[in-house]
Amino acid sequence: MMENADIHILGGGPAGLTAGYYAKKQHLNFLIFEAGAQVGGNCRTLKLNDFRFDTGAHRFHDKDLEVTGEVKHLLGDNLLRVDAPSEIFYQEKFYLFPLTLNDLVGKLETKTLLKIAWDKLRSGNGKQAKNFEELALRRYGKTLAERFLLNYSEKLWGEPTHKLSTAISGNRLKGLDFRSFLRSTVLGTPQNPAHLDGSFYYPKYGIGMIPDKLCEFIGDERIKYNHKVSRLIHKNSKIEKIILNDDIEIEVTTVINTLPLTLSMRMLEPAPPPKLCTIANTIKYRHLVLCVFCLNRASFSSNASIYFPSEEFPFTRLYEPKNRSPYMAPEGQTVIVLEIPCFSESDVWKMSEAALRTEVWEALCRVKPLHSDEIIHYQSYKLPFAYPVLEVGFEENVKHLVNYFETFENLHLTGRSSLFRYLHLHDLFKAGKEVVEQVQ
């Protein structure tokens, strides 16, 4: 089976599975190599006894009719429509996200509201923003941006916001500028629903149902678990062989690669030009530590997510799976997940389980009253290469690396980590279809 495949897909995350999904629909002969024992990458649903939670605050947004149709076909009645709000916790108060004027008026001091208005009167659109800090200041003004956007973004990405590309905003700030923010309150005009944080689809038993259903459609016989890609052997502008688990050699005809871009560069044999290796060493990925508390209480909040911009909290986001689907925790109990972004050299990445639990729990108790005897289970999880860090100028560096990979006639890149793009699940379906069309 291995030797006879026409297409070898490296990586069993959403990017690899969606490529396999469309390859199967086109009756192509392919194999997927997954490094671990479970597909899904960083888009999985895990279990602690009767509690379910995802490896991230995942949602499926209805942004593409064709993709939504594919997912509805895969999941049927197991795909739920969810309307759950999100909030920002700042200086002991909860603020609606996206921000609304009514909410701010009820919670901020008059002098702060006047500063917000003055900031906006002084700011203009001017030239195109060079970095995320400029973009946020122009869209919201200094007071709002510093309270709710800049400090949070610095915690999330691990870099000062003037070093971050405007691309980190994705579509989140599009249609959420100060003008629409005022219009939504004064005129009663709702903000663009395409950018609301609280309306989305979600599978009954967690986001992992989507990769699981993709896997079911593809067929387990086409997925090779516990097969880590070690090297990519190339010659004459073609990938000739892949080495798995350091000792399994496979000759290949066509390769679809979803693995992290910089990792793939280091796998190449012979090695790429030194200049490209230097560029690869400047590109960063952010890791993620998840701290999971299963609690003997009906709920912690009614929010899909809560964001924490202040440095006093080690985590950036809290999500409560039960607010996405009631089937994620037993009746009368709940589970909450706290995300801590970091780099591999960060202290939190190396912290002991006991120290991490203590630090996170103590911070969590400052948000709402909790008692340690409410904890049924606790567990932390480490997710490497959770997402690319989009620094100013990253596009040019990434372009050099991607262009080099494109010199290989039989190699195709797809997915968030491989193309170094901040993509969502619906984007990955589209990318999977496109890459399969390229190889046909």
Side-chain angles (χ1 to χ4, degrees):
M1 183 71 178
M2 282 188 181
E3 293 77 5
N4 295 332
D6 298 317
I7 302 171
H8 293 85
I9 301 173
L10 312 184
L17 292 175
T18 52
Y21 174 75
Y22 287 107
K24 175 71 178 291
K25 293 186 80 170
Q26 295 300 321
H27 307 289
L28 302 177
N29 184 17
F30 66 94
L31 280 174
I32 296 175
F33 295 107
E34 162 57 46
Q38 181 184 357
V39 296
N42 288 339
C43 188
R44 291 173 289 147
T45 298
L46 305 177
K47 286 189 71 177
L48 271 176
N49 288 355
D50 295 327
F51 297 86
R52 291 182 172 87
F53 52 93
D54 300 333
T55 53
H58 297 292
R59 306 169 172 91
F60 180 76
H61 290 287
D62 185 12
K63 295 289 184 71
D64 184 282
L65 285 175
E66 183 181 350
V67 172
T68 300
E70 297 279 12
V71 174
K72 284 182 175 179
H73 179 72
L74 281 168
L75 270 70
D77 293 339
N78 287 319
L79 189 64
L80 310 176
R81 186 76 193 189
V82 179
D83 288 291
S86 290
E87 291 186 312
I88 300 170
F89 186 75
Y90 182 74
Q91 293 186 347
E92 301 184 357
K93 292 180 182 178
F94 289 92
Y95 297 85
L96 292 177
F97 180 79
L99 301 171
T100 68
L101 187 57
N102 275 347
D103 189 54
L104 293 178
V105 167
K107 294 171 181 173
L108 295 176
E109 296 178 352
T110 302
K111 64 178 182 180
T112 303
L113 294 169
L114 290 173
K115 282 181 67 178
I116 291 170
W118 178 243
D119 287 344
K120 193 54 190 174
L121 287 172
R122 294 174 60 197
S123 67
N125 290 328
K127 297 178 181 179
Q128 185 176 357
K130 296 177 182 178
N131 54 59
F132 179 75
E133 183 174 306
E134 285 187 10
L135 178 66
L137 289 172
R138 288 177 187 176
R139 289 283 174 89
Y140 279 108
K142 185 176 179 0
T143 304
L144 272 181
E146 288 185 345
R147 280 173 176 256
F148 300 117
L149 288 172
L150 299 181
N151 45 5
Y152 178 81
S153 299
E154 190 164 329
K155 276 179 69 177
L156 178 63
W157 298 91
E159 297 287 348
T161 50
H162 69 271
K163 292 186 177 182
L164 295 172
S165 167
T166 58
I168 70 166
S169 66
N171 287 326
R172 281 186 171 251
L173 296 189
K174 190 177 178 182
L176 291 178
D177 59 13
F178 197 83
R179 188 174 297 172
S180 67
F181 160 70
L182 285 173
R183 186 171 60 245
S184 68
T185 304
V186 177
L187 300 179
T189 306
Q191 297 188 54
N192 185 349
H195 302 290
L196 291 180
D197 203 54
S199 182
F200 51 92
Y201 283 111
Y202 188 77
K204 183 176 180 179
Y205 295 109
I207 202 70
M209 286 191 76
I210 295 178
D212 288 347
K213 287 293 183 180
L214 287 170
C215 180
E216 187 179 306
F217 177 83
I218 290 166
D220 253 3
E221 72 279 1
R222 293 183 179 273
I223 301 174
K224 300 299 175 184
Y225 297 92
N226 299 309
H227 279 69
K228 181 180 179 181
V229 181
S230 307
R231 285 176 287 160
L232 303 171
I233 312 299
H234 64 94
K235 185 178 181 181
N236 298 326
S237 299
K238 285 189 175 181
I239 304 297
E240 290 193 333
K241 300 174 184 177
I242 57 175
I243 308 299
L244 305 165
N245 297 339
D246 292 321
D247 62 357
I248 303 173
E249 186 177 288
I250 305 294
E251 293 185 3
V252 296
T253 304
T254 300
V255 177
I256 294 176
N257 184 20
T258 75
L259 303 176
L261 184 61
T262 54
L263 188 63
S264 299
M265 290 291 291
R266 297 184 186 104
M267 290 178 179
L268 287 170
E269 190 177 303
K275 181 180 178 181
L276 293 179
C277 294
T278 301
I279 290 173
N281 289 335
T282 68
I283 291 176
K284 304 171 187 175
Y285 287 86
R286 199 73 160 141
H287 303 333
L288 203 59
V289 176
L290 303 181
C291 296
V292 182
F293 289 92
C294 304
L295 301 177
N296 190 24
R297 59 159 56 199
S299 71
F300 180 82
S301 78
S302 60
N303 296 292
S305 297
I306 303 175
Y307 301 96
F308 297 87
S310 303
E311 282 295 330
E312 65 175 300
F313 298 102
F315 37 81
T316 52
R317 178 166 60 177
L318 177 155
Y319 50 97
E320 191 168 358
K322 206 168 183 179
N323 293 334
R324 287 166 163 77
S325 168
Y327 299 93
M328 300 296 283
E331 188 173 352
Q333 298 175 334
T334 193
V335 55
I336 56 175
V337 184
L338 299 116
E339 295 181 342
I340 307 177
C342 61
F343 294 113
S344 58
E345 62 272 18
S346 301
D347 290 342
V348 69
W349 191 251
K350 305 169 185 175
M351 194 177 290
S352 71
E353 185 84 338
L356 186 62
R357 169 178 168 159
T358 298
E359 181 175 332
V360 171
W361 180 255
E362 288 178 354
L364 185 61
C365 290
R366 295 198 295 272
V367 181
K368 286 190 175 182
L370 292 165
H371 302 284
S372 59
D373 57 6
E374 293 181 84
I375 302 173
I376 301 171
H377 304 291
Y378 167 80
Q379 185 68 51
S380 69
Y381 300 83
K382 293 181 178 180
L383 306 178
F385 299 102
Y387 44 87
V389 179
L390 308 184
E391 295 182 285
V392 171
F394 83 94
E395 296 94 341
E396 193 63 29
N397 286 335
V398 168
K399 183 180 178 181
H400 286 303
L401 302 188
V402 171
N403 285 348
Y404 180 71
F405 277 112
E406 288 178 348
T407 64
F408 298 104
E409 300 171 15
N410 63 337
L411 177 66
H412 303 268
L413 304 180
T414 189
R416 175 189 281 198
S417 294
S418 189
L419 292 172
F420 211 80
R421 294 178 188 163
Y422 196 45
L423 302 174
H424 299 282
L425 195 51
H426 61 274
D427 299 315
L428 296 177
F429 270 83
K430 291 174 69 175
K433 184 177 182 180
E434 288 169 2
V435 77
V436 168
E437 288 172 348
Q438 290 174 19
V439 304
Q440 282 183 280

